[in-house]
């Protein structure tokens, strides 16, 4: 029967599972399908095969080789045992074999209690241990692959399982992204009207059925506005009021459903997800954050949130969705599903696929994963990430959710090359992007901190509904805030032609035929009106995005940042264009600007990159994403100039990007690998003096009651295993959690275990018949480190100094 202190320890683990919900203002009763500990576990939802077989972190096949490695008896008491332990980071927990060779009652060979080898929620993984375990597993498979055809097939499967895994991730992620793009467009258009002949078609698809080549106000006869459905026509005060009401009602309906789904089924589906993905990839465990419920609700919720018209995007949440897919599929391959360090290789590839399917930018996705989110990124992960991003981009292109011949979101094709003197305004755009990004980060973090520590955090749904109502009421009167942000960015990036009739292209030009070149011309009334509307839209978008990012619905930041920067860039482009018209004889314009030398759409593209760089502090990946996003390979130099200027200015005003700032706000244990630290303190200056005897376990002469006493009296995360109290040579370490689980499991499954049973962390079997209760053999849960022999030999020369340092690391 489990002792009282074991139950208290389990209660402590359960209470920690709710800390993240408390950080995000979500009550623990809203968890759906939570486990007994109150925490939704990915392993509980996915790894059914492991639970059914009674296995833990490793399968029977993967551990069978350890019998041959550890079957011989050790003859020397100290060094041979240590050397023997150096062979096995993949160690055993198996039933005790007596002197006659028969297995004692209890656990079968190679059977692990569930949970051993895994990690508690909100704990950090041991990178070295997991990588060493995988190295030993791979070494055994390579050694045995020539023994039989089965082992050869097994070796081949182990070699290509990583490629198959990322291929499946790319296929599933690309398919999900295509469905989300189609659904989001349809629901966003539903706020403005409907296609009566086929209600499942969005506005663009509905207009494909029209026989007319041009439409008034960009509306074809087949697409009916809600005012037309209620016989109020397209124009007039009545039609405007009906459209206004339906715009607000649909927005509130979408966001209400989204908030209800997130709060009820998956509280982890809130926000962008990139902040937590960065933390998880650095080795932190957040159970349930990449589970199937989070995947389902995040996918549905992001469509509803974007369709509600909030100042947010779906591209950031798509990275979270892709990582959920990668986490779930990794459990089909035990090599990755049961090893947290290896699993993060798949998650890095999934993050690259998320950006690839969001923007149609596979190369940019790989660089984004490398530069922005990944912590451990070996060379093979780079290749697999590229393959995964390629597959996801191909699937999205095959689905063709954008309805055009291009696989990019905002395809541009400018007829005028950029001039050298334009580098100056491009750099100015970069400076403005850095300033705007820093202002946004500081204001958003201040608002999120207020939300977190005030009464506002207790009413997340009310906040979402009020913010959506305010956004809908403010956005509808302005046509640039009313339209979907992706459409707005596409409009701002576009180049004016003879057939364009929107306000941004209302110049005082005279065309004799459609083949006439588009030259410089004074701005018409439509352009002037558009400038004022864009200025107002810029202020509205910036303020609304500050309050929107961080609410308890799926919310991305890429598209709002691009939209804000595109508005700034388009305004500057129009200003430069009119300056060239009004002052054509200036030396700047006279030599290189004889015809049309200024393209406002290019300024919008550069401004979008500058704003996104100022918010996220990305550089290389940002430039690649932007030219893949638009197809504008010729404009890499302007993008690079703006990105670097934005990065420099942003770092001067504040070192953290928005994701790093939110990591610090939430208190996640993230150590940025890009940070540099200068250490001048000696180890002796920071070591704590030892009060009393060090807490350690001996390898084969402590009773179970003595081990439990050590566990009760200390709270260390791990314990060193030494040879004996007299010979304090380090043999290995045992993690507290694994020890607790192993003891509890042995008491239930192994007969005759009492407090007087000897706990043995070695593989040595006494040569004489055993007297007393059967011992508890826990060799399999011990980690034998390569440095064990080194510490053992030097401890006699240094007064156990190395041993003390090692123990301090465990605390």
């Amino acid at each position: 029967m489990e002792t009282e202190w074991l139950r208290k320890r389990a209660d402590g683990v359960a209470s920690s599972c709710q800390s993240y919900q408390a950080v995000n203002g979500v009550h623990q009763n809203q968890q759906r399908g939570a486990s007994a500990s109150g925490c939704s576990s990915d392993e509980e939802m996915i790894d059914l095969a492991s639970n059914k077989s009674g296995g833990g972190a490793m399968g029977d096949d993967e551990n069978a080789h350890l019998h041959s490695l550890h079957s011989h008896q050790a003859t020397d008491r100290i060094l041979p045992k240590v050397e023997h332990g150096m062979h096995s980071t993949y160690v055993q927990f198996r039933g005790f074999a007596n002197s006659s060779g028969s297995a004692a009652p209890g656990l079968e060979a190679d059977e692990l209690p569930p949970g051993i080898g895994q990690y508690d929620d909100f704990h950090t993984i041991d990178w070295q241990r997991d990588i060493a375990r995988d190295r030993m597993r791979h070494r055994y498979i390579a050694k045995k692959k020539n023994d039989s055809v089965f082992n050869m097939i097994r070796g081949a499967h182990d070699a290509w399982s990583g490629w198959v895994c990322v291929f499946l991730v790319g296929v599933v992620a690309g398919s999900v992204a295509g469905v989300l793009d189609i659904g989001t467009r349809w629901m966003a258009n539903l706020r403005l009207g409907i296609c009566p002949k086929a209600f499942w078609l969005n506005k663009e698809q509905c207009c494909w059925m029209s026989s007319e080549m041009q439409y008034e106000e960009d509306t074809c006869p087949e697409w009916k506005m809600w005012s037309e459905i209620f016989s109020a026509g397209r124009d007039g005060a009545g039609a405007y009021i009906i459209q206004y009401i339906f715009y607000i009602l649909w927005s509130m309906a979408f966001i209400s459903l989204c908030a209800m789904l997130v709060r009820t089924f998956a509280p982890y589906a809130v926000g962008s997800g990139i902040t937590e993905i960065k933390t998880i990839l650095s080795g932190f465990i957040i159970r349930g954050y990449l589970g199937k419920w989070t995947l389902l609700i995040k996918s549905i919720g992001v469509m509803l949130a974007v369709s509600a018209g909030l100042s947010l995007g779906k591209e950031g949440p798509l990275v979270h969705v892709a990582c959920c897919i990668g986490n779930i599929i990794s459990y089909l391959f035990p090599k990755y599903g049961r090893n947290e360090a290896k699993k993060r290789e798949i998650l890095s590839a999934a993050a690259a696929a998320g950006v690839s399917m969001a923007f149609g930018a596979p190369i940019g996705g790989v660089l984004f994963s490398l530069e922005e989110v990944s912590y451990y990124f070996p060379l093979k992960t780079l290749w697999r990430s590229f393959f995964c991003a390629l597959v996801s981009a191909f699937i999205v292109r095959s689905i063709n959710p954008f309805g055009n011949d291009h696989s990019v979101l905002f395809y541009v094709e400018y007829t005028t090359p950029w001039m050298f003197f334009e580098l100056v305004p491009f750099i100015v755009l970069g400076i403005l992007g850095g300033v705007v990004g820093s202002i946004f980060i500081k204001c958003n973090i201040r608002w999120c901190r207020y939300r977190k520590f005030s009464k506002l955090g207790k009413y997340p749904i009310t906040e979402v509904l009020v913010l959506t109502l305010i956004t809908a009421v403010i956005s509808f009167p302005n046509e640039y805030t009313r339209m979907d942000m992706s459409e707005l960015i596409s409009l701002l990036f576009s180049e004016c032609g003879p057939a364009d009739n929107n306000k941004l292209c209302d110049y005082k030009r005279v065309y004799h035929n459609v083949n006439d070149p588009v030259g410089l011309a004074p701005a018409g009334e439509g352009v002037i009106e558009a400038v004022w509307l864009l200025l107002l839209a810029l202020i509205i978008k910036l303020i609304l995005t500050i309050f929107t990012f961080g609410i308890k619905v799926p919310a991305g930041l890429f598209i709002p940042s691009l939209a804000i920067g595109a508005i700034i860039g388009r305004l500057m482009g129009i200003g430069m264009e009119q300056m060239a018209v009004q002052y054509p004889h200036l030396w700047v314009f006279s030599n290189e600007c004889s015809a049309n030398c200024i393209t406002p759409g290019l300024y919008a593209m550069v401004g979008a990159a500058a704003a996104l760089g100022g918010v996220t502090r990305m550089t290389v990946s940002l430039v690649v994403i932007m030219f893949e996003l638009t197809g504008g390979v010729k404009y890499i130099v302007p993008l690079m100039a703006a990105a670097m200027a934005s990065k420099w200015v942003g770092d001067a005003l504040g070192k953290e990007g928005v994701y790093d700032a939110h990591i610090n706000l939430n208190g996640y244990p993230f150590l940025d690998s890009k940070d540099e630290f200068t250490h001048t303190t000696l180890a002796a200056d920071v070591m704590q003096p030892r009060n009393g005897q060090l807490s350690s376990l001996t390898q084969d002469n402590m009773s179970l009651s003595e081990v439990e006493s050590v566990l009760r009296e200390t709270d260390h995360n791990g314990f060193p295993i030494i040879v004996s109290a007299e010979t304090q040579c380090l043999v290995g370490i045992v993690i507290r959690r694994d020890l607790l689980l192993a003891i509890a499991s042995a008491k239930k499954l192994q007969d005759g275990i009492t407090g007087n049973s000897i706990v043995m962390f070695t593989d040595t079997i006494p040569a004489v018949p055993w007297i007393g209760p059967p011992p508890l053999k826990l060799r399999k849960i011990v980690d034998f480190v390569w440095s064990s022999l080194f510490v053992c030999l030097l401890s006699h020369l240094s007064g156990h100094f190395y041993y003390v340092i090692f123990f301090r690391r465990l605390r």
Side-chain angles (χ1 to χ4, degrees), residues 28 85 111 178 260-261 324 337 369 384 549 621 670 697 770 808:
Q28 65 185 29
E111 189 172 308
M260 181 189 67
L261 290 174
C324 290
S369 179
R384 290 172 182 169
F549 188 68
S621 59
F670 178 77
L697 305 176
W770 190 267
R808 291 299 179 188

Side-chain angles (χ1 to χ4, degrees), residues 96 98 104-105 702-705 750-760 766 769-777:
F96 172 75
N98 56 30
M702 289 184 70
S703 65
L704 178 59
S705 59
Q750 192 169 343
D751 296 332
I753 296 296
T754 66
N756 295 325
S757 297
I758 299 299
V759 179
M760 303 187 68
W770 190 267
I771 300 175
L776 181 60
K777 195 163 188 179

Side-chain angles (χ1 to χ4, degrees), residues 104-324:
L107 294 175
E108 298 292 335
D110 270 346
E111 189 172 308
L112 274 170
I116 286 185
Q118 300 174 2
Y119 299 92
D120 286 330
D121 201 11
F122 300 102
H123 282 66
T124 304
I125 70 172
D126 190 333
W127 288 93
Q128 292 294 86
R129 183 176 70 166
D130 286 354
I131 294 173
R133 284 176 174 176
D134 181 73
R135 187 179 296 117
M136 290 300 301
R137 179 198 57 79
H138 177 73
R139 184 181 303 170
Y140 168 75
I141 293 176
K143 179 181 178 182
K144 294 292 184 180
K145 68 178 181 179
N146 295 326
D147 294 351
S148 64
V149 176
F150 173 77
N151 287 331
M152 185 180 299
I153 296 175
R154 184 183 178 189
H157 173 268
D158 182 75
W160 51 256
S161 61
W163 293 98
V164 174
C165 185
V166 296
F167 173 78
L168 294 177
V169 172
V171 170
V172 177
S175 303
V176 171
V179 173
L180 294 184
D181 285 332
I182 295 173
T184 302
R185 281 198 166 195
W186 177 74
M187 288 192 292
N189 291 155
L190 198 60
R191 292 178 301 159
L192 302 176
I194 194 171
C195 186
K197 295 182 179 180
F199 70 90
W200 58 87
L201 298 180
N202 60 36
K203 182 178 178 180
E204 183 179 4
Q205 294 169 340
C206 183
C207 292
W208 288 346
M209 299 184 296
S210 177
S211 58
E212 299 184 18
M213 300 299 296
Q214 291 185 346
Y215 321 118
E216 263 185 57
E217 297 182 1
D218 199 24
T219 303
C220 62
E222 279 70 17
W223 177 262
K224 300 296 182 182
M225 301 172 64
W226 291 112
S227 58
E228 295 180 274
I229 298 295
F230 288 90
S231 303
R234 290 178 178 268
D235 302 319
Y240 185 85
I241 293 174
I242 291 176
Q243 286 294 115
Y244 207 155
I245 292 175
F246 269 90
Y247 185 89
I248 296 174
L249 291 179
W250 278 113
S251 298
M252 297 300 295
F254 288 148
I255 204 63
S256 299
L257 180 59
C258 176
M260 181 189 67
L261 290 174
V262 170
R263 185 177 180 87
T264 305
F265 296 100
Y268 279 148
V270 301
S272 169
I274 295 181
T275 298
E276 287 74 18
I277 295 299
K278 288 188 66 172
T279 307
I280 290 173
L281 288 178
S282 70
F284 195 57
I285 300 292
I286 305 179
R287 298 292 181 199
Y289 197 81
L290 302 177
K292 61 181 181 181
W293 276 108
T294 304
L295 169 63
L296 179 62
I297 301 304
K298 188 91 172 190
S299 302
I300 299 174
V302 71
M303 289 193 297
L304 294 169
V306 173
S307 302
L310 289 172
S311 185
L312 49 83
K314 65 179 184 300
E315 283 66 26
L318 280 179
V319 177
H320 186 189
V321 168
C323 287
C324 290

Side-chain angles (χ1 to χ4, degrees), residues 509-765:
R509 297 189 178 106
V510 178
Y511 296 104
H512 299 286
N513 57 68
V514 294
N515 295 323
D516 286 348
V518 180
L520 294 174
E525 295 180 358
V527 174
I528 297 175
E529 181 183 355
V531 167
W532 288 108
L533 290 177
L534 286 175
L535 282 172
L536 184 60
L538 173 62
I539 298 173
I540 293 174
K541 287 290 183 185
L542 181 59
I543 295 176
L544 289 179
T545 306
I546 289 173
F547 289 97
T548 301
F549 188 68
I551 61 175
K552 304 310 175 188
V553 294
L557 194 58
F558 282 106
I559 290 297
S561 301
L562 291 176
I564 292 172
I567 294 174
I568 297 174
R570 187 78 185 202
L571 292 174
M572 178 172 286
I574 293 175
M576 289 292 297
E577 183 185 43
Q578 294 306 303
M579 186 181 298
V581 171
Q582 297 296 329
Y583 307 99
H585 301 294
L586 287 178
W587 66 270
V588 177
F589 304 115
S590 60
N591 295 328
E592 302 185 31
C593 206
S594 57
N596 184 17
C597 61
I598 305 294
T599 305
L602 174 59
Y603 284 76
M605 182 173 69
V606 175
L612 184 57
V615 171
T616 63
R617 302 293 196 270
M618 295 190 300
T619 52
V620 180
S621 59
L622 172 64
V623 173
V624 177
I625 288 174
M626 286 304 299
F627 82 72
E628 284 188 291
L629 179 66
T630 59
V633 184
K634 298 182 295 184
Y635 306 103
I636 293 180
V637 173
L639 292 173
M640 291 176 64
M644 287 308 303
S646 175
K647 168 73 172 176
W648 287 335
V649 173
D651 287 345
L653 299 177
K655 290 293 185 182
E656 296 177 331
V658 65
Y659 301 123
D660 294 328
H662 275 270
I663 286 175
N664 294 332
L665 176 65
N666 293 328
Y668 296 142
F670 178 77
L671 182 62
D672 195 345
S673 59
K674 296 186 292 293
D675 289 343
E676 296 182 0
F677 301 95
T678 302
H679 298 285
T680 58
T681 305
L682 299 177
D685 298 332
V686 297
M687 290 177 61
Q688 299 178 358
R690 185 177 65 189
N691 298 322
Q693 188 176 2
L694 287 173
S695 298
S696 59
L697 305 176
T698 58
Q699 63 179 0
D700 56 8
N701 56 14
M702 289 184 70
S703 65
L704 178 59
S705 59
E706 292 173 336
V707 172
E708 291 179 336
S709 176
V710 172
L711 290 170
R712 279 195 302 268
E713 295 171 359
T714 62
D715 57 356
H716 306 312
N717 187 46
F719 299 91
I721 306 296
I722 59 176
V723 175
S724 65
E726 296 77 16
T727 308
Q728 296 190 2
C729 295
L730 180 64
V731 176
I733 62 172
V734 62
I735 303 301
R736 182 188 189 92
R737 180 179 184 274
D738 292 351
L739 185 58
L740 291 171
L741 291 173
I743 292 175
S745 179
K747 286 184 176 181
K748 295 178 182 178
L749 301 179
Q750 192 169 343
D751 296 332
I753 296 296
T754 66
N756 295 325
S757 297
I758 299 299
V759 179
M760 303 187 68
F761 297 100
T762 68
D763 207 31
T764 304
I765 301 175

Side-chain angles (χ1 to χ4, degrees), residues 361-414:
I363 302 177
V366 175
L367 294 176
F368 172 82
S369 179
L370 174 62
E371 178 184 1
E372 186 65 20
V373 298
S374 292
Y375 191 86
Y376 175 66
F377 206 84
L379 185 60
K380 60 183 177 181
T381 303
L382 177 67
W383 300 336
R384 290 172 182 169
S385 299
F386 179 76
F387 179 65
C388 187
L390 174 66
V391 172
S392 64
F394 175 77
I395 296 298
V396 173
R397 179 66 183 87
S398 301
I399 298 174
N400 193 19
F402 308 126
N404 53 36
D405 296 332
H406 308 289
S407 60
V408 298
L409 188 58
F410 309 116
Y411 180 76
V412 296
E413 189 173 3
Y414 303 130

